C-alpha cells in the first residue's frame, strides 16, 4: 500500500476516491457467454521478460504506451471498439485475446509484444492481428479501422486519462518511478507513408497496404468522413483520434480475413534499420517465438496440476506478470511491481516476489534480483527503499536468508553476509536507543499509516533475524550465530511483553502500532507468516484473525476502516490459516481472491469500494505483489516447510478431490530438495505416489488430510499409520500412501465457479435494492 510515493498528483487522485459516492453496475455486465471478469474496467499488460517497458491493454482493448495509444474501430459505419472481457492464449500466456460480434461478423483480436532480436533491452514492439469472420449466409462488406490518440477522456487535471499511467517520468536514481513517453504537443505534425502513420516524422504504427485502406489524418465529426491526406498541422486535443486507416473488405459467407498491425512502443525514424526489420517481421513467427519462450520458462520451474482450470491458469499467468515487471537496465535486474503506476522498486514487494521465484524453482532469477537489494543499504546499516519504511530491514535479511535456505549457495551467503553484519549493528544500536527497546518510532506514510512503533516492522525484524541466524550457521560463523540468536531471543521476549500489555485492552487483538491507537491493519497480521514469531494458536493470533476477518467485504480484506477492498492484504490471514490448519477457511479465501481477478487472472491492490463499480481507477492491474503472494500461497497449500518439517497438501479444495482426478506437483523446490508427487482420487480411496529428491532429509514428513473427507485408514508403503488431527506423520522415505476415505455428507461445495455464482447472485440482490431506493 502506498499513498505517498509516486507523484503528488497521483496520490491526490487515489485519496480523492474516498469522496466518491459508491454506485453499482447493471449486473448484465457479466454475460453468461464470457468468462467472469471481476473488474468493470480491466487493464492488462503485454511485454517481455526483463523489458524496461510494458504496453497497457486498456479497458476498451487498445494498445497504450507512454507515447500514445492505438485504437481499433469496427463495423459499418465504423465505431470504436469497446470490449471489456479479454482472455490469454492457452489461458496463461502473455498474448491477450478478445472477440466481439457486429451484424453477424465476428472480430477476434490477438495482441502480444516482443523485441525483434530477443534482447529484453532492445526496443519493444507490439503486434496486433484482427481476424474478421463473416458468419452470415450472405456476402458482407465489413469495416475495420485503426488510429492513434494521446489518451482517453481524463478524470484528472494532469493529462493521464482514466485507467492510464503517468508519463513521461524520469527516475532520480535507479529503481525509482520511471516511464518512457512524450508530453502531449498540440502542434505535432502528422503524415502517412505507404504503410506507416507518422507523428513528427516518427513511425507510430505500421499497417497492411493490401487491401488498400482509406487514410484520414484526423477525425473531426465522425469516423467516416472524407480523408485528408498529406502532412498538416492543426490544433487537436489529447483525446482526438489521429492517423486513421479504414478497411472495407468484402467477405463471402463463412469467409475469414486477417489484418496485422505493428506498433513500436517508442516511435521510430522511418528509415531506421529497426523499422525495416519490423516491417518484415511476420506476426506468426514472433507469436511462435513468444509462445516457445514462455513455455520454456514454465518447464524450468514448479508445476502444479489441479482439476480446476482457473486455479492453474492463475498460478501460471502471475509468474509471467512478475517477470514482465522485472527490468534489466545496464546489467541490473530491478524487480518492479508493474509497468504502470507502480513502475518502481520497493524492498517489501520485491522481497516477496524474490521468495516466489525461489519457491518456484527460479533461483538464478531470484539471485539476480537480490543483487539489487544492497544498493538500498544506508551508511548506518539500515535497509530503506522509501523514507520511514523500516520493514525493509527485516524484508531484506529474510529474502537473503530464504534464498540461501532454498539453494545452499555458499558464494551467495559469503557475498551478502557483510551487509547482514552491518545491518545487525544498526538494529542493536536502534533498539538500545529506543525507549521500548524495539524497532524505532517512524512514520512510514504507507500501509498502517501511523506514526509510532509499527507492529509489523518488529515482526519483520524478527523474521530477518531468524534468517540472519540461518546464514551465519550455514557459513559456520558460530559466534555471529550466537549473537544473532541472543538478539532474537531478547527482542522477541521484549515484543511479546509489549503485545500482552496492549492486547489486554483490546480483547487479544494485536493493533497496527505498539502505542495501541488507530491505524490500518497490515503488519499486525504477520505474527505467524512469513516466519512463525508467535505460536500459531496463541490467543493473540486467534483474536487478530477474528478481528480482521470481521472487516471482510465480498470475502476479502478491507482497508481504511472498511472503505476499500484490499486484494493481497487478505493473504496475510490466509497464509496464517494454512499454517494453523484452518483448511476450509483458507480454501474459501483462495476462491474469494480468485473471484476478484480478471478473466486474464490479474490482481489489484485497493481503491475499489465494496459492492460498487468494481473499478480500481488509477490503481491498475496486474499487481506484482498480489501475483507473488498468490503463487506462494498455492505452493504452500501443496508443499511447505515449517522449521525442519515438510508439510504436504495442507489445504485442498473439494473441487480437486473427485473420481478419476489427480493433484500433481512436479519440480517443487524446498529447503530439503525437490518434491514430486501425484495424488489420484476415487470416491472411497486415494493413492499418493511420491518421488522426492532430498538433498537433506526433513526431520518429519507430514501429510494433511482433507477436512471434508472421512478417513478410515492410511498406509505408508504397506504399513498402517495413525491419524491425528487430520494429519499423518510419514516416514521420510515413503514412496506410496494408500488412503481409505469417503466424502462427508455435510461437506460443502466449494469451487471458483461456485464463488462466482454466489457473488453474482448477491450483487444482483443488492443492485435491485439499490434501484428500489431510487439511486
Amino acid at each position: 500500500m502506498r499513498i505517498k510515493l509516486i507523484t503528488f498528483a497521483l496520490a491526490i487522485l487515489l485519496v480523492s476516491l474516498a469522496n466518491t459516492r459508491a454506485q453499482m453496475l447493471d449486473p448484465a455486465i457479466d454475460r453468461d457467454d464470457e468468462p467472469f471478469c471481476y473488474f468493470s474496467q480491466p487493464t492488462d499488460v503485454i511485454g517481455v521478460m526483463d523489458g524496461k517497458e510494458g504496453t497497457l491493454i486498456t479497458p476498451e482493448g487498445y494498445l497504450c504506451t507512454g507515447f500514445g495509444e492505438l485504437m481499433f474501430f469496427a463495423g459499418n459505419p465504423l465505431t470504436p471498439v469497446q470490449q471489456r472481457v479479454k482472455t490469454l492464449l492457452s489461458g496463461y500466456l502473455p498474448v491477450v485475446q478478445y472477440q466481439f460480434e457486429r451484424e453477424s461478423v465476428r472480430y477476434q483480436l490477438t495482441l502480444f509484444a516482443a523485441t525483434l532480436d530477443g534482447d529484453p533491452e532492445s526496443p519493444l514492439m507490439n503486434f496486433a492481428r484482427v481476424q474478421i469472420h463473416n458468419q452470415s449466409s450472405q456476402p458482407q462488406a465489413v469495416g475495420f479501422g485503426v488510429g492513434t490518440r494521446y489518451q482517453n477522456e481524463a478524470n484528472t487535471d494532469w493529462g493521464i486519462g482514466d485507467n492510464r499511467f503517468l508519463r513521461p517520468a524520469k527516475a532520480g536514481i535507479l529503481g525509482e518511478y520511471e516511464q518512457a513517453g512524450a508530453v502531449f504537443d498540440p502542434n505535432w505534425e502528422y503524415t502517412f507513408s505507404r504503410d506507416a502513420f507518422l507523428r513528427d516524422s516518427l513511425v507510430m504504427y505500421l499497417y497492411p497496404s493490401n487491401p488498400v485502406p482509406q487514410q484520414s489524418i484526423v477525425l473531426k465529426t465522425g469516423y467516416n468522413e472524407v480523408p485528408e491526406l498529406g502532412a498538416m498541422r492543426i490544433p487537436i486535443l489529447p483525446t482526438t483520434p489521429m492517423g486513421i486507416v479504414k478497411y472495407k473488405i468484402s467477405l463471402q459467407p463463412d469467409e475469414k480475413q486477417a489484418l496485422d498491425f505493428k506498433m513500436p512502443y517508442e516511435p521510430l525514424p522511418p528509415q531506421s534499420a529497426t523499422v525495416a526489420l519490423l516491417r518484415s517481421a511476420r506476426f506468426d513467427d514472433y507469436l511462435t517465438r513468444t509462445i516457445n519462450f514462455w513455455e520454456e520458462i514454465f518447464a524450468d520451474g514448479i508445476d502444479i496440476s489441479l482439476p480446476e482450470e482457473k486455479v492453474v491458469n492463475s498460478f501460471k499467468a502471475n509468474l509471467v506478470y512478475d517477470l514482465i515487471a522485472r527490468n534489466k537496465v545496464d546489467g541490473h535486474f530491478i524487480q518492479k511491481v508493474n509497468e504502470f503506476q507502480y513502475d518502481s522498486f520497493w524492498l517489501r514487494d520485491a522481497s516477496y516476489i524474490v521468495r516466489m521465484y525461489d519457491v518456484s524453482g527460479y533461483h538464478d532469477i531470484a539471485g539476480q534480483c537480490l543483487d539489487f537489494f544492497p544498493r538500498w543499504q544506508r551508511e548506518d546499516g539500515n535497509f530503506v527503499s522509501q523514507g520511514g519504511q523500516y520493514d525493509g530491514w527485516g524484508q531484506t535479511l529474510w529474502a537473503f536468508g530464504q534464498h540461501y535456505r532454498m539453494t545452499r549457495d555458499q558464494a551467495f551467503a559469503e557475498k551478502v553476509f557483510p551487509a547482514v553484519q552491518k545491518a545487525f549493528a544498526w538494529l542493536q544500536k536502534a533498539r538500545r536507543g529506543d525507549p521500548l527497546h524495539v524497532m524505532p518510532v517512524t512514520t512510514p506514510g504507507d500501509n498502517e499509516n501511523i506514526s509510532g512503533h509499527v507492529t509489523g516492522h518488529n515482526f519483520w525484524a524478527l523474521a530477518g533475524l531468524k534468517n540472519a541466524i540461518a546464514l551465519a550457521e550455514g557459513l559456520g560463523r558460530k559466534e555471529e550465530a550466537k549473537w544473532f540468536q541472543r538478539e532474537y531471543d531478547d527482542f522477541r521476549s521484549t515484543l511479546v511483553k509489549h503485545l500482552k500489555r496492549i492486547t489486554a485492552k483490546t480483547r487479544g487483538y494485536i493493533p497496527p502500532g505498539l502505542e495501541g491507537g488507530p491505524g490500518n491493519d497490515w503488519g499486525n497480521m504477520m505474527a505467524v507468516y512469513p516466519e512463525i514469531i508467535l505460536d500459531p494458536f496463541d490467543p493473540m493470533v486467534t483474536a487478530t484473525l477474528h478481528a480482521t476477518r470481521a472487516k471482510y467485504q465480498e470475502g476479502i480484506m478491507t482497508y481504511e476502516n472498511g472503505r476499500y477492498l484490499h486484494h493481497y492484504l487478505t493473504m496475510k490471514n490466509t497464509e496464517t490459516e494454512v499454517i494453523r490448519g484452518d483448511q476450509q477457511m483458507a480454501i474459501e479465501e483462495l476462491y474469494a481472491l480468485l473471484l476478484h481477478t480478471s478473466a486474464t487472472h490479474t490482481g489489484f491492490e485497493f481503491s475499489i469500494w465494496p459492492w460498487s463499480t468494481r473499478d480500481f481507477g488509477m490503481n491498475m492491474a496486474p499487481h506484482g505483489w498480489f501475483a507473488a503472494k498468490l503463487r506462494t500461497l498455492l505452493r504452500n497449500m501443496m508443499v511447505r516447510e515449517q522449521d525442519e518439517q515438510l508439510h504436504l497438501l495442507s489445504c485442498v479444495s473439494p473441487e480437486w478431490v473427485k473420481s478419476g482426478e489427480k493433484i500433481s506437483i512436479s519440480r517443487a523446490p524446498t529447503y530439503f530438495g525437490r518434491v514430486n508427487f501425484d495424488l489420484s482420487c476415487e470416491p472411497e480411496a486415494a493413492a499418493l505416489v511420491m518421488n522426492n529428491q532430498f538433498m537433506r532429509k526433513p526431520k518429519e514428513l507430514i501429510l494433511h488430510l482433507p477436512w471434508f473427507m472421512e478417513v478410515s485408514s492410511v498406509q505408508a508403503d504397506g504399513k498402517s499409520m495413525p491419524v491425528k488431527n487430520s494429519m499423518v506423520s510419514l516416514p521420510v522415505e515413503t514412496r506410496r500412501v494408500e488412503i481409505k476415505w469417503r466424502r462427508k455428507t455435510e461437506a460443502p461445495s466449494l469451487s471458483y465457479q461456485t464463488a462466482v455464482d454466489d457473488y453474482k447472485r448477491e450483487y444482483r440482490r443488492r443492485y435491485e435494492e439499490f434501484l428500489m431506493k431510487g439511486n
Side-chain angles (χ1 to χ4, degrees):
M1 201 49 205
R2 26 186 101 75
I3 291 197
K4 98 174 199 194
L5 62 126
I6 299 176
T7 64
F8 179 69
L10 185 53
I12 291 177
L13 176 61
L14 294 176
V15 174
S16 71
L17 292 171
N19 299 318
T20 303
R21 185 167 177 264
Q23 299 293 317
M24 294 193 76
L25 301 168
D26 185 340
I29 189 177
D30 300 315
R31 291 169 39 181
D32 292 336
D33 62 344
E34 292 179 327
F36 179 73
C37 174
Y38 176 78
F39 308 124
S40 63
Q41 299 288 322
T43 54
D44 292 286
V45 66
I46 53 174
V48 300
M49 175 177 167
D50 296 336
K52 192 174 180 182
E53 309 298 342
T55 298
L56 175 74
I57 307 299
T58 72
E60 303 91 339
Y62 308 151
L63 296 169
C64 178
T65 75
F67 298 86
E69 58 189 73
L70 189 68
M71 302 176 67
F72 303 113
F73 306 87
N76 190 11
L78 289 176
T79 55
V81 168
Q82 297 276 339
Q83 178 57 33
R84 183 176 74 93
V85 177
K86 296 100 177 167
T87 58
L88 300 177
L89 181 65
S90 300
Y92 53 85
L93 295 168
V95 180
V96 174
Q97 299 178 309
Y98 63 88
Q99 60 187 25
F100 57 91
E101 293 184 15
R102 293 187 182 175
E103 298 176 342
S104 300
V105 177
R106 172 168 291 185
Y107 301 82
Q108 182 171 3
L109 280 89
T110 301
L111 315 169
F112 70 95
T115 60
L116 297 176
D117 59 1
D119 183 345
E121 295 184 86
S122 295
L124 186 68
M125 304 295 164
N126 297 297
F127 293 80
R129 168 175 286 174
V130 57
Q131 186 175 74
I132 307 170
H133 180 198
N134 178 12
Q135 300 181 107
S136 75
S137 59
Q138 301 295 322
Q140 291 220 59
V142 177
F144 191 80
V146 299
T148 68
R149 65 181 178 186
Y150 183 73
Q151 69 182 54
N152 72 333
E153 289 70 21
N155 61 0
T156 75
D157 293 328
W158 309 296
I160 56 179
D162 186 19
N163 293 101
R164 306 304 198 266
F165 54 90
L166 179 67
R167 57 358 193 308
K170 182 70 174 175
I173 59 173
L174 203 61
E176 287 186 344
Y177 183 73
E178 187 168 22
Q179 290 287 357
V183 177
F184 174 74
D185 184 350
N187 295 310
W188 276 323
E189 182 180 277
Y190 303 90
T191 189
F192 284 98
S193 68
R194 178 179 60 85
D195 64 349
F197 173 64
L198 295 86
R199 186 178 75 189
D200 267 13
S201 301
L202 298 175
V203 172
M204 293 292 290
Y205 71 90
L206 300 176
Y207 56 87
S209 55
N210 183 24
V212 178
Q214 187 182 65
Q215 301 168 335
S216 177
I217 289 289
V218 64
L219 297 176
K220 294 180 179 177
T221 59
Y223 297 102
N224 296 277
E225 65 184 52
V226 175
E228 302 174 53
L229 304 179
M232 59 187 300
R233 291 181 183 273
I234 58 171
I236 63 168
L237 299 174
T239 55
T240 304
M242 303 293 295
I244 313 301
V245 293
K246 296 176 277 190
Y247 295 85
K248 190 173 182 180
I249 302 169
S250 296
L251 294 180
Q252 295 300 311
D254 201 37
E255 186 180 359
K256 299 177 182 178
Q257 181 157 338
L259 299 172
D260 294 343
F261 303 89
K262 304 161 191 175
M263 178 193 187
Y265 188 95
E266 181 170 353
L268 297 169
Q271 303 306 318
S272 68
T274 303
V275 168
L277 187 58
L278 180 61
R279 182 173 279 116
S280 65
R282 296 182 67 248
F283 182 97
D284 290 319
D285 291 344
Y286 279 90
L287 178 60
T288 299
R289 293 186 196 184
T290 299
I291 293 169
N292 291 342
F293 174 86
W294 289 107
E295 291 293 6
E296 288 173 8
I297 291 289
F298 292 124
D300 284 343
I302 187 175
D303 182 67
I304 295 179
S305 178
L306 302 167
E308 194 168 19
E309 195 174 68
K310 174 67 177 183
V311 181
V312 173
N313 287 342
S314 296
F315 184 74
K316 288 185 173 182
N318 279 284
L319 171 65
V320 176
Y321 293 141
D322 274 332
L323 290 173
I324 289 177
R326 196 175 85 144
N327 296 173
K328 185 181 179 185
V329 182
D330 299 331
H332 299 283
F333 293 90
I334 307 169
Q335 184 61 62
K336 296 187 175 181
V337 181
N338 66 20
E339 297 287 6
F340 310 141
Q341 82 280 10
Y342 287 149
D343 195 353
S344 308
F345 175 85
W346 283 267
L347 286 169
R348 59 168 61 115
D349 303 63
S351 65
Y352 271 94
I353 297 171
V354 167
R355 169 66 173 160
M356 179 273 288
Y357 292 146
D358 268 329
V359 300
S360 298
Y362 303 104
H363 305 310
D364 289 346
I365 292 174
Q368 291 166 346
C369 294
L370 287 171
D371 285 342
F372 194 66
F373 280 50
R375 297 174 66 95
W376 303 92
Q377 187 169 36
R378 296 182 171 183
E379 283 300 317
D380 61 7
N382 196 7
F383 282 94
V384 182
S385 56
Q386 282 74 34
Q389 297 178 10
Y390 291 170
D391 49 348
W393 188 96
Q395 287 152 355
T396 302
L397 270 62
W398 173 72
F400 286 167
Q402 287 296 308
H403 183 66
Y404 172 73
R405 292 164 79 177
M406 294 295 292
T407 63
R408 297 291 158 176
D409 184 337
Q410 296 295 114
F412 170 80
E414 291 281 5
K415 181 172 65 175
V416 301
F417 198 69
V420 172
Q421 292 174 303
K422 187 176 179 180
F424 179 71
W426 176 87
L427 179 70
Q428 283 191 309
K429 182 177 180 181
R431 285 193 63 216
R432 282 143 185 74
D434 183 80
L436 299 186
H437 302 295
V438 294
M439 288 290 277
V441 169
T442 187
T443 304
D446 205 350
N447 296 354
E448 292 88 350
N449 273 330
I450 61 173
S451 292
H453 294 90
V454 181
T455 304
H457 292 187
N458 290 281
F459 284 146
W460 266 120
L462 289 167
L465 277 172
K466 271 195 170 187
N467 285 275
I469 294 166
L471 281 166
E473 291 176 343
L475 290 172
R477 309 289 285 263
K478 295 181 180 179
E479 285 302 310
E480 284 96 334
K482 289 179 182 178
W483 298 340
F484 297 166
Q485 186 67 59
R486 282 196 295 268
E487 190 73 20
Y488 176 87
D489 293 339
D490 179 71
F491 194 163
R492 183 185 181 280
S493 64
T494 301
L495 179 62
V496 169
K497 178 185 68 177
H498 291 307
L499 292 177
K500 286 184 175 179
R501 169 181 53 82
I502 298 165
T503 57
K505 304 173 185 177
T506 61
R507 299 182 180 179
Y509 161 73
I510 301 172
L514 298 183
E515 285 73 21
N520 294 320
D521 292 300
W522 197 273
N524 54 314
M525 302 163 67
M526 297 173 54
V528 174
Y529 186 89
E531 294 284 354
I532 295 176
I533 308 301
L534 302 183
D535 185 280
F537 296 96
D538 187 298
M540 292 186 289
V541 173
T542 302
T544 305
L545 267 176
H546 290 165
T548 51
R549 282 182 57 84
K551 300 174 184 179
Y552 282 21
Q553 291 273 11
E554 300 185 13
I556 64 174
M557 188 61 181
T558 57
Y559 188 72
E560 290 282 358
N561 298 316
R563 179 176 294 142
Y564 306 119
L565 298 174
H566 201 297
H567 206 186
Y568 62 79
L569 179 58
T570 311
M571 283 183 271
K572 294 186 187 298
N573 278 347
T574 319
E575 290 151 345
T576 299
E577 292 154 7
V578 171
I579 294 170
R580 283 166 54 100
D582 300 332
Q583 294 187 43
Q584 181 173 349
M585 192 177 296
I587 291 297
E588 288 174 350
E589 289 186 8
L590 172 66
Y591 286 131
L593 291 161
L594 294 174
L595 166 72
H596 289 83
T597 61
S598 67
T600 55
H601 322 302
T602 62
F604 73 109
E605 186 183 37
F606 83 121
S607 81
I608 295 178
W609 287 60
W611 304 109
S612 69
T613 60
R614 293 154 50 181
D615 182 8
F616 42 58
M618 302 306 298
N619 204 358
M620 293 169 286
H623 195 285
W625 197 350
F626 168 84
K629 286 174 71 70
L630 179 71
R631 281 183 57 87
T632 304
L633 172 64
L634 187 60
R635 178 266 186 185
N636 289 344
M637 287 180 166
M638 299 294 101
V639 55
R640 64 180 176 86
E641 310 88 344
Q642 188 168 321
D643 297 323
E644 291 301 305
Q645 298 174 334
L646 183 63
H647 292 251
L648 305 180
L649 297 170
S650 294
C651 296
V652 298
S653 167
E655 186 69 8
W656 309 338
V657 180
K658 291 184 174 181
S659 179
E661 299 288 6
K662 275 188 178 183
I663 299 173
S664 298
I665 308 298
S666 302
R667 304 183 301 274
T670 71
Y671 296 164
F672 313 105
R674 285 196 167 188
V675 170
N676 305 279
F677 66 75
D678 292 320
L679 178 69
S680 301
C681 302
E682 296 297 339
E684 296 189 357
L688 177 68
V689 178
M690 292 182 282
N691 182 25
N692 300 325
Q693 300 162 352
F694 293 138
M695 297 181 297
R696 63 186 187 93
K697 295 179 181 179
K699 290 183 178 178
E700 194 172 9
L701 181 61
I702 297 176
L703 172 65
H704 295 254
L705 300 168
W707 88 95
F708 51 87
M709 301 299 287
E710 191 72 52
V711 177
S712 56
S713 70
V714 177
Q715 289 192 333
D717 292 334
K719 181 181 178 181
S720 294
M721 306 299 297
V723 177
K724 184 178 181 181
N725 297 327
S726 297
M727 293 184 291
V728 182
S729 181
L730 300 171
V732 172
E733 299 294 348
T734 298
R735 305 288 288 187
R736 183 179 180 89
V737 180
E738 301 281 353
I739 306 169
K740 298 294 185 184
W741 63 14
R742 63 190 309 168
R743 191 176 295 259
K744 296 176 181 178
T745 56
E746 70 276 14
S749 176
L750 297 178
S751 68
Y752 169 71
Q753 190 58 52
T754 299
V756 169
D757 292 342
D758 289 346
Y759 172 81
K760 289 164 68 173
R761 187 163 42 249
E762 177 62 14
Y763 192 93
R764 180 171 292 278
R765 185 191 67 79
R766 290 172 179 256
Y767 180 73
E768 289 170 354
E769 287 185 356
F770 179 77
L771 294 181
M772 288 176 63
K773 293 177 181 177
N775 292 291

